[in-house]
């Protein structure tokens, strides 16, 4: 195989042109036809789908690039992944896998003959069929498409630590207007040609989005070129729609780009390259939107305009002129030359395909579970925090996670990465820098620390980049963690949602192999961003993941370091999940020994007998429950105060670490049995629940449990500012004093001394309000609280 791409020959062009025409025919057929798939009879209204759905405009351009990259693969043997930002070009990529035979492998009923083609057309964007995007059902896809802005992010994530992979990322010019895409050009600043693969962006400027022209298509060409060169790219431009000229020009451009990529990699891997970031190539391709489709419809220009975006001929069933135009359009591809009498692609079409394992629809890189290797992880128990006496010494729990990941880096030099928006040290994960520097291909000076080309800790101030890089790293079979401030996890929350949807749909496809889980750590949480203020205070990602599919959504709130280690070990070993771990970085009490933590995390929730009153055969008067590190501390402190002042109260404390255990078993695989739920919460006692996130989440989780209305939940209620740590829980009415008052107000019986304790709590809250304004810090009994010290 060659490291260069030879000139395009006439015989090769004949195959590429035939393949492209076949793909365009299949695209139009998917959008319009429910009968007569090969036009063996004149087109009639009854052959047309009742609902015309799909997107034509970008499809011919995507198929054009695909055909030429397939030629590159045939000549060079290069492993290629094809990512399409214009996800609305779904029919072109589905058509590509059909022509390559991989679609039939995945869906045996969709055969390469007339009957299979009819099924193929009827299923597109139809009930019981497939979506119109390049979705999880499309062989060769790791990118949904329609996730506007993520194409180039996913492309870079796919090639980190994949030195043999070239990912072609077609960026739509509508997509290029999005914030995530604007930030994603910076991927080359983190791409090391010595041990990573390469990304070849193709900015496809076809002139229009859904209802208007695009910014970059109307900018002066010199400005577009200057913008991209400013990002550090070697820009190669190709333009036109003339045939065969455009084929020759694009083949030359692709060959030039590939030669440049291989030379960059050769120099880096041989040690010849000087320090610094290479100037990677990219292609700007200008072709008409809706290329080869109807040029004028009802007197208006369609081809080359935004009008070609979706369905150029919309009234085909009732408009004879439109029906005639559609038939002319379909026959312009000369389907009788492309498919034989049985409806199979002819040899000329098939000649453009690489061998299946090398084809872009058949590459194992797009089905990363086939390539995935388990992580080699240390025994997390060896990193245990000794807990000789509970909650007497505070520790930054996430530092232990950093130590755990440090060892993961050392043991998995090409299979594990941390992705974090410039916050690794801030989130107390800095131990990883003992094993790896930050990745950096730009200039390094004497003031920098832990920064260099061989680093593999990914820090860029973009949640979109970090999240998307990890998604693609996972989908190509590797492992990692995305860590961010809790409030800013919402910046990329739509990506979390989309990834969960991907996993959910993949679970129904037996040919999709299991992939490593997407692991998200949110730290610097709402309750301890008192110094940053309201903008940094928000636990919204919990609600996002909670609303995800039960088969793939997991939420963990470890109360201390040992629980965090146990949870992290489980998450790193798991597959096919979105694992959300919520744990703050500030010093916090340590509650459980490692053995206790493992047992607690295995159960997901358990009674902390030492925190309540000694239990005998009698039921508790009331249950205090908690989930989340700060809420755990407030609950235990409240329970201690109640026990000291009202020793006759029978009090039970329950801690929840796996939030999904609160659901019923029929609603979530982790849901605890009704028997165990009643063992923890009883079946008739009131429950005061202190929760890290929005209170409504707990009501959502316990819906359907016995007498669910007995749960009284305290949590974050969007009250925040720059203040003291304890004032955050006071403002949200979730402090230890509020919890005590809740207990007093909701017990079925009243104990002597209850009114005194109520007045004490009210006085403490009033005292707190004045104290923090005068002293700029919390009350000493709160600030210095340790278990066993009373108030």
């Amino acid at each position: 195989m060659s490291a260069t791409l030879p000139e395009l020959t006439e015989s090769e062009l004949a195959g590429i042109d035939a393949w492209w025409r076949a793909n365009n025919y299949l695209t139009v057929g998917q959008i319009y036809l429910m009968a007569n798939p090969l036009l063996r009879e004149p087109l009639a209204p009854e052959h047309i789908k009742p609902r015309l759905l799909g997107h034509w405009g970008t499809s011919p351009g995507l198929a054009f690039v695909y055909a030429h990259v397939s030629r590159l693969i045939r000549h060079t043997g290069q492993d290629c992944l094809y990512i399409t930002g214009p996800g609305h070009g779904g029919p072109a990529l589905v058509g590509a896998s059909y022509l390559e035979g991989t679609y039939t492998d995945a869906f045996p009923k969709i055969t390469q003959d007339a009957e299979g083609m009819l099924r193929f057309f009827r299923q597109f964007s139809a009930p019981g069929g497939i979506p119109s995007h390049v979705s999880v059902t499309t062989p060769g896809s790791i990118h949904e498409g329609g996730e506007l802005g993520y194409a180039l992010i996913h492309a870079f994530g796919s090639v980190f630590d994949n030195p043999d992979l070239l990912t072609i990322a077609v960026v739509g010019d509508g997509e290029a207007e999005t914030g995530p895409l604007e930030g994603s050009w910076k991927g080359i600043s983190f791409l090391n040609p010595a041990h990573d693969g390469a990304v070849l962006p193709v900015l496809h400027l076809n002139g229009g989005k859904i209802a208007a022209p695009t910014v970059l298509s109307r900018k002066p060409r010199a400005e577009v070129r200057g913008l991209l060169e400013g990002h550090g790219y070697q820009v190669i431009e190709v333009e036109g729609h003339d045939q065969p000229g455009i084929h020759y020009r694009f083949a030359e451009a692709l060959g030039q780009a590939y030669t440049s990529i291989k030379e960059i990699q050769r120099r880096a891997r041989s040690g010849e390259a000087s320090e610094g970031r290479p100037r990677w190539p990219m292609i700007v391709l200008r072709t008409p939107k809706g290329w080869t489709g109807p040029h004028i419809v009802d007197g208006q220009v369609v081809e080359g305009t935004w009008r070609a975006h979706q369905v150029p001929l919309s009234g085909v069933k009732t408009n004879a002129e439109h029906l005639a135009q559609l038939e002319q359009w379909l026959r312009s591809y000369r389907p009788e030359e492309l498919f034989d009498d049985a409806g199979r692609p002819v040899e000329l079409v098939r000649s453009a395909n690489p061998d299946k394992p090398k084809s872009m629809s058949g590459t194992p890189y797009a089905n990363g579970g086939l390539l995935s290797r388990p992580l080699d992880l240390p025994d997390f128990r060896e990193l245990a925090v000794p807990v000789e006496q509970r909650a007497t010494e505070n520790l930054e729990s996430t530092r232990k996670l950093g130590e755990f990941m440090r060892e993961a880096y050392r043991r998995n030099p090409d299979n594990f990465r941390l992705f974090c928006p410039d916050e690794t040290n801030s989130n107390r994960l800095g131990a990883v820098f003992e094993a790896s520097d930050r990745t950096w291909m730009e200039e390094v000076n004497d003031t920098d620390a832990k920064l260099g080309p061989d680093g593999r800790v990914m820090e860029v101030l973009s949640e979109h980049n970090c999240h998307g890089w990890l998604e693609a790293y996972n989908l190509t079979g590797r492992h990692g963690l995305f860590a961010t401030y809790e409030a800013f996890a919402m910046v990329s929350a739509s990506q979390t949602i989309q990834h969960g949807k991907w996993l959910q749909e993949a679970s129904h496809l037996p040919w999709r192999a299991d992939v490593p889980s997407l692991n998200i750590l949110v730290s610097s949480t709402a309750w301890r961003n008192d110094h940053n203020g309201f903008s940094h205070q928000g636990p919204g990602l919990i609600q996002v993941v909670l609303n995800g599919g039960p088969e793939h959504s997991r939420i963990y709130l470890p109360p201390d370091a040992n629980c965090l280690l146990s949870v992290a070990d489980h998450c790193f070993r798991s597959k096919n999940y979105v694992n959300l771990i919520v744990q703050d970085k500030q010093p916090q009490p340590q509650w459980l020994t490692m053995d206790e933590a493992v047992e607690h995390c295995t159960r997901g929730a358990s009674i902390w007998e030492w925190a309540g009153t000694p239990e005998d055969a009698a039921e508790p008067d009331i249950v205090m429950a908690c989930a989340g590190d700060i809420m755990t501390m407030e609950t235990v402190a409240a329970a201690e105060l109640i026990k000291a002042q009202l020793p006759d109260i029978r009090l039970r404390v329950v801690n929840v670490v796996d939030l999904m255990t609160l659901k019923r078993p029929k609603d979530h695989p982790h849901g605890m049995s009704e028997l165990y739920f009643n063992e923890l919460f009883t079946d008739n006692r009131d429950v005061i629940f202190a929760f890290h996130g929005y209170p409504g989440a707990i009501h959502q989780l316990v819906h359907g449990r016995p007498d669910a209305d007995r749960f009284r939940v305290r949590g974050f209620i969007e009250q925040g500012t720059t203040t003291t740590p304890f004032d955050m829980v006071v403002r949200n009415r979730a402090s230890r004093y509020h919890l005590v008052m809740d207990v007093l107000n909701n017990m079925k019986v009243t104990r002597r001394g209850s009114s005194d304790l109520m007045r004490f709590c009210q006085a403490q809250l009033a005292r707190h309000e004045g104290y923090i304004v005068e002293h700029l810090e919390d009350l000493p009994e709160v600030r210095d609280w340790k278990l066993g010290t009373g108030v």
Side-chain angles (χ1 to χ4, degrees), residues 188 224-233 235 277 279 442:
I188 54 174
V224 175
R225 186 181 188 94
L227 172 69
L228 298 169
E229 287 178 340
H231 281 302
Y233 290 90
V235 181
R277 171 187 49 78
R279 186 165 285 273
E442 300 290 351

Side-chain angles (χ1 to χ4, degrees), residues 65 69 72-73 78-85 140 142-143 150-160 162-171 191 196-202 233 254 258 261 265 280-282 360 363 365-366 472 476 478:
V65 175
V69 177
L72 170 73
I73 295 169
Q78 175 67 53
D79 288 316
C80 287
L81 192 60
Y82 194 74
I83 289 180
T84 58
I142 67 164
H143 178 78
Y150 308 155
L152 199 53
I153 298 173
H154 283 165
F156 280 106
S158 71
V159 301
F160 293 136
N162 262 338
D164 299 326
L165 181 62
L166 169 63
T167 296
I168 312 295
V170 183
V171 177
L191 189 71
D196 297 329
V199 173
L200 177 60
V202 179
Y233 290 90
L254 185 59
Y258 186 68
I261 288 168
Q265 291 177 335
W280 293 93
M282 68 164 293
M360 288 178 286
T363 175
Y365 287 101
T476 48
R478 283 80 54 72

Side-chain angles (χ1 to χ4, degrees), residues 32 74 206 233 288 301 497 500 538 563 583 590 640:
Y32 285 96
R74 293 197 315 276
N206 62 25
Y233 290 90
V301 176
I497 294 169
C563 289
Q583 175 66 280
Q590 301 300 304
E640 184 182 42

Side-chain angles (χ1 to χ4, degrees), residues 168-214:
I168 312 295
V170 183
V171 177
D173 51 356
E175 181 188 30
E177 297 177 7
T178 66
L181 198 286
E182 286 283 9
S184 66
W185 293 110
K186 298 175 181 64
I188 54 174
S189 298
F190 303 87
L191 189 71
N192 187 331
H195 56 69
D196 297 329
V199 173
L200 177 60
V202 179
L203 176 59
H204 187 205
L205 299 180
N206 62 25
K209 45 187 182 281
I210 191 169
T214 58

Side-chain angles (χ1 to χ4, degrees), residues 98-114:
Y98 180 83
L99 292 174
E100 290 175 334
T102 56
Y103 202 85
T104 302
D105 294 339
F107 303 98
K109 290 185 178 180
I110 308 297
T111 49
Q112 285 187 316
D113 53 27

Side-chain angles (χ1 to χ4, degrees), residues 633-777:
M633 180 175 69
E634 292 304 305
T635 297
V636 174
E640 184 182 42
L641 182 55
I642 293 170
K643 289 189 296 182
Q645 301 297 317
L646 300 175
D648 291 339
I649 288 181
R650 298 193 302 273
L651 186 68
R652 176 181 294 174
V653 174
V654 175
N655 183 264
V656 179
V657 62
D658 179 352
L659 198 61
M660 297 305 197
T661 61
L662 294 175
K663 287 197 171 193
R664 297 175 297 181
K666 68 178 182 179
D667 296 327
H668 196 281
H670 285 196
M672 67 178 77
S673 68
E674 185 169 332
L675 182 63
Y676 188 56
F677 187 89
N678 290 342
E679 284 183 20
L680 295 182
F681 299 107
T682 77
D683 56 5
N684 58 10
R685 295 298 193 269
D686 279 14
V687 179
I688 307 302
F689 203 123
F691 178 52
H692 177 93
Y694 296 113
I698 299 301
H699 294 296
Q700 180 180 344
L701 286 161
V702 301
H703 176 74
R705 293 294 190 177
D707 192 12
D709 287 345
R710 62 198 170 93
F711 280 74
R712 311 284 194 270
V713 187
R714 296 288 183 174
F716 190 76
I717 54 173
E718 290 295 342
Q719 296 297 311
T721 184
T722 301
T723 186
T724 67
F726 188 65
D727 193 50
M728 278 299 298
V729 293
V730 171
R731 284 174 174 270
N732 288 276
R733 301 197 292 273
S735 75
R736 60 197 65 179
Y737 302 121
H738 288 93
L739 297 178
V740 170
M741 291 190 293
D742 278 348
V743 168
L744 298 176
N745 284 329
N746 289 282
M747 280 197 310
K748 302 300 183 187
V749 296
T750 300
R751 304 293 184 187
R752 181 178 297 178
S754 294
S755 60
D756 291 337
L757 182 54
M758 178 73 77
R759 284 192 294 271
F760 170 80
C761 290
Q762 293 167 341
Q764 283 292 93
L765 290 171
R767 179 172 165 241
H768 155 82
E769 186 175 353
Y771 189 92
I772 62 171
V773 173
E774 180 179 355
H775 298 278
L776 309 182
E777 61 180 351

Side-chain angles (χ1 to χ4, degrees), residues 345-409:
V346 300
E347 173 56 32
L348 183 62
V349 171
R350 297 198 308 273
S351 70
N353 292 330
D355 293 338
K356 276 186 187 179
K358 285 290 185 180
S359 70
M360 288 178 286
S361 65
T363 175
Y365 287 101
N367 196 1
L370 299 175
L371 304 174
S372 182
R373 292 173 282 128
L375 280 177
D376 178 8
L377 292 174
D379 183 353
F380 66 92
R381 294 168 181 82
E382 295 179 357
L383 298 170
V385 173
V387 179
E388 296 179 2
Q389 191 173 351
R390 304 185 197 281
T392 56
E393 183 177 351
N394 289 347
L395 180 75
E396 296 166 330
S397 296
T398 52
R399 287 199 186 277
K400 302 304 289 186
L401 177 60
E403 294 174 20
F404 187 55
M405 290 195 296
R406 174 192 63 202
E407 299 310 310
Y409 261 101

Side-chain angles (χ1 to χ4, degrees), residues 303-369:
E303 186 183 20
T305 76
W306 53 268
R307 293 185 180 90
H309 182 77
Q310 290 178 296
V311 181
L313 298 164
S314 58
V316 182
K317 260 191 175 306
T318 57
N319 186 318
E321 184 179 345
H322 282 198
L323 183 65
Q325 275 189 282
L326 175 59
E327 183 165 7
Q328 182 184 12
W329 177 13
L330 283 163
R331 293 193 186 279
S332 73
Y333 299 120
R334 307 191 297 280
E336 67 279 1
E337 298 177 5
L338 307 175
F339 304 98
D340 65 18
D341 292 342
R344 296 183 296 257
V346 300
E347 173 56 32
L348 183 62
V349 171
R350 297 198 308 273
S351 70
N353 292 330
D355 293 338
K356 276 186 187 179
K358 285 290 185 180
S359 70
M360 288 178 286
S361 65
T363 175
Y365 287 101
N367 196 1

